[in-house]
Amino acid sequence: MELISMISNAFAHHGIWMWSIFAAQAVSIAIIAERVFALYIARQPGQKNLANAFEDEIRKGQIDKVLAKAQSLGAMNPLSKVIEAGAQAALDMGGRDEIQAKMDEVLIHENSKLERRTGFLAMLGNVGTLLGLLGTIVGMIHAFKAVANVSPVEKATILSNGISLAMHATAYGLLMAIPALVMYAVLSNRAQRLAEDLNQGALRVFNLLSYNYESIPAKKSRA
């Protein structure tokens, strides 16, 4: 109860700074929740192993089955979109260069989804810390101004109370910033791992397709 009372008192005396930090905290929590779902629940590693499941069809030249199998994985699977792009390019009589271009286009788009909004956590963590420091400085300025025209007996009490309230802004700013920065590191590491896994899976499929399809200039020269 005492902690809640102290926080309420700090909000009452430093409302603009405390509410600003609270707004940054609310946004950071929303980003963390959305990114945890996107990177830990909706996306799972193992794309390289999934790519091996298409080896038999590709080696047999059954690209229509490859395309149908990729589509059956669902739109939530990022590798399925990459394989679809490569298989469709192969069905359109494309060569290695065309297959790679189509797969790279989709791969870049899928990898970009992994980093969305994560960078804002670092920014919000820094903003929360700076808002806390600014709130403390402003609070201490007001505290020293308040004791300018009071008796020496009351001066120490008023000054200590003012500084105590001012320090709550810094404490709350740090309380908001630390989880945001920790989760930024955790989510960035997860995104990097998923991107590497997806790249390896896409490269495996491209290598399988490239063994069976020549580049268009090579086809023309051979013809």
Side-chain angles (χ1 to χ4, degrees), residues 11 30 51 82 123 153 158 179 196:
F11 268 89
V82 179
M123 181 271 291
V153 177
I158 295 174
E196 291 174 354

Side-chain angles (χ1 to χ4, degrees), residues 43 70-81 84 110 113:
R43 297 282 291 266
Q71 292 173 343
S72 68
L73 294 176
M76 292 297 294
N77 190 295
L79 185 61
S80 67
K81 300 178 183 178
E84 280 184 51
E110 291 299 318
K113 293 180 180 179

Side-chain angles (χ1 to χ4, degrees), residues 10 14 132 135-137 139-140 161-173:
H14 306 286
T136 295
I137 292 171
M140 292 182 69
N161 290 336
I163 292 175
S164 176
L165 286 172
M167 295 301 292
H168 282 78
T170 295
Y172 187 39

Side-chain angles (χ1 to χ4, degrees), residues 214 216-223:
E214 299 176 289
I216 287 179
K219 290 179 180 179
K220 291 181 177 179
S221 63
R222 189 157 58 97

